[in-house]
Amino acid sequence: MGRIMVIGIGGVGGYMASLLSKHYQDVTLVARGERYESLKQNGLSLSSDLHGDFTTHPNVVDEPLKAGKQDYIFICVKNYSLREVLEQIKPCIKDDTIIIPVLNGVNHGEICEEVLDKGYVVNSLIYIVSFFKEDYSIVQQGETAYLYVGGKHEEKNQRVCDLMNEASIDCALSDYIERELWTKYILNCAYNTLTAYYNCTNIEIKVSKIRCHEYKELLKEAYNVALAKGIILDENLVEKHYNEILYNQPENATSSLSRDIQKHRRNELETFSGYLVEEAKKYGVSVPQTTFFHLELKRKSI
């Protein structure tokens, strides 16, 4: 299937890299510091509700340049690192390299096309509950972990979809990837924001009437911004998201934003609520709940 590189070996990147390296031989991971040392010495370990527990030993480098030219590059970093990473991977890109950003947010595909002058960008998003532990092993929780891919390069989209499914990563094509991106983004805007503010899990939202109300209001505000931008969405999406996250997801799960803020790490607050607040201003949409939590979480992030 060609040469595959994964950069960003956190919860999402680590899950995908584990399965890709289990099924394909020429897989290279890019990591630095203690994570790089751990991967070199111990390999990449996954504990998955879907796939069980196993360890793989793919190639690991600390700079993309050392990996050489690639056929597929999966970018699984946080949004605040995207532009920097795109500059770093330029030497690895051939004219026909496929670049797949798997990030939170809605505009990472546009950023990739803006920065890169070679290769094909296949946009994507993933629904998953996953994270890395202190020893850099990866945990995937729940019975849901699936990827959507799409965009203007139909043949490349299909190649990526086939690559993933052959590696037992559940993947589907989307004819309207912007809708899929916003569908997930609306969920993330509410879920990451609320769990980070309260430093809580799913069950701690579910048992509180106030938090349930706030959660639904956050969903509604993000939904209204998407409609104002002309994104065509399921009219029952808010209710579906509300029921899904409260009743069909692991009760002890929390969000990456909550974990990062609690550990005083750089975080994606601007991705989950800052961007939404700015888009709301641009399109004249009122988002008081989102604005309140954004300001409060900015204070917590200092």
Side-chain angles (χ1 to χ4, degrees), residues 1-288:
M1 294 299 292
R3 306 188 72 196
I4 302 169
M5 185 168 77
V6 183
I7 181 165
I9 315 302
V12 170
Y15 172 80
M16 293 170 56
S18 292
L19 290 165
L20 288 168
S21 58
K22 183 178 181 181
H23 287 81
Y24 302 118
Q25 291 186 340
D26 202 344
V27 177
T28 298
L29 314 186
V30 181
R32 290 180 178 168
E34 293 182 359
R35 193 189 305 259
Y36 168 80
E37 296 298 334
S38 174
L39 290 168
K40 288 286 285 186
Q41 294 177 18
N42 307 314
L44 177 60
S45 295
L46 174 67
S47 177
S48 169
D49 287 348
L50 285 172
H51 303 283
D53 299 353
F54 62 89
T55 300
T56 60
H57 295 271
N59 183 41
V60 186
V61 297
D62 57 1
E63 297 289 346
L65 179 63
K66 296 178 181 178
K69 301 294 184 182
Q70 301 291 315
D71 296 295
Y72 301 90
I73 301 177
F74 291 88
I75 305 174
C76 306
V77 299
K78 298 295 178 73
N79 271 275
Y80 50 72
S81 299
L82 178 58
R83 290 182 181 273
E84 177 185 355
V85 165
L86 291 173
E87 294 295 335
Q88 293 171 1
I89 67 171
K90 283 183 176 180
C92 305
I93 299 175
K94 306 177 294 180
D95 289 339
D96 61 349
T97 299
I98 301 176
I99 301 98
I100 310 99
V102 191
L103 284 76
N104 292 312
V106 291
N107 64 340
H108 40 269
E110 297 171 15
I111 294 172
C112 290
E113 292 188 334
E114 172 192 328
V115 174
L116 301 176
D117 56 6
K118 286 195 298 186
Y120 296 89
V121 177
V122 169
N123 220 334
S124 72
L125 66 145
I126 190 169
Y127 284 94
I128 191 172
V129 177
S130 60
F131 56 92
F132 66 91
K133 297 167 66 175
E134 290 186 3
D135 63 356
Y136 300 111
S137 63
I138 307 300
V139 176
Q140 177 268 317
Q141 296 177 322
E143 299 303 313
T144 299
Y146 62 93
L147 189 77
Y148 281 112
V149 296
K152 58 189 176 183
H153 307 295
E154 292 184 5
E155 187 267 338
K156 310 301 181 186
N157 300 340
Q158 186 66 61
R159 283 175 57 184
V160 173
C161 192
D162 292 343
L163 179 86
M164 303 305 275
N165 281 314
E166 287 177 23
S168 298
I169 299 171
D170 192 6
C171 184
L173 293 171
S174 172
D175 293 330
Y176 185 13
I177 194 66
E178 289 80 12
R179 177 180 59 206
E180 304 300 345
L181 287 165
W182 271 93
T183 295
K184 182 189 176 185
Y185 182 61
I186 289 165
L187 175 66
N188 271 337
C189 286
Y191 181 66
N192 278 269
T193 298
L194 202 64
T195 52
Y197 179 76
Y198 287 112
N199 185 26
C200 70
T201 61
N202 285 359
I203 188 63
E204 291 169 300
I205 296 175
K206 181 178 177 179
V207 298
S208 167
K209 289 184 178 180
I210 292 175
R211 293 180 189 181
C212 284
H213 173 74
E214 291 170 336
Y215 181 67
K216 184 168 279 191
E217 288 302 304
L218 288 168
L219 289 171
K220 288 178 181 177
E221 290 179 1
Y223 181 84
N224 289 336
V225 171
L227 292 185
K229 288 175 65 66
I231 307 298
I232 301 171
L233 297 167
D234 184 339
E235 62 182 13
N236 298 315
L237 182 63
V238 168
E239 201 64 34
K240 287 180 179 179
H241 275 340
Y242 181 77
N243 290 327
E244 173 68 22
I245 207 69
L246 293 183
Y247 303 112
N248 297 330
Q249 294 296 314
E251 292 187 341
N252 64 334
T254 186
S255 68
S256 60
L257 181 62
S258 179
R259 291 190 293 271
D260 287 342
I261 288 178
Q262 292 306 312
K263 292 182 180 294
H264 305 287
R265 296 191 295 235
R266 196 175 179 187
N267 61 68
E268 291 185 294
L269 175 62
E270 295 309 310
T271 296
F272 293 125
S273 60
Y275 176 82
L276 189 69
V277 169
E278 290 303 313
E279 291 298 289
K281 289 178 183 177
K282 189 185 301 183
Y283 289 91
V285 179
S286 176
V287 289

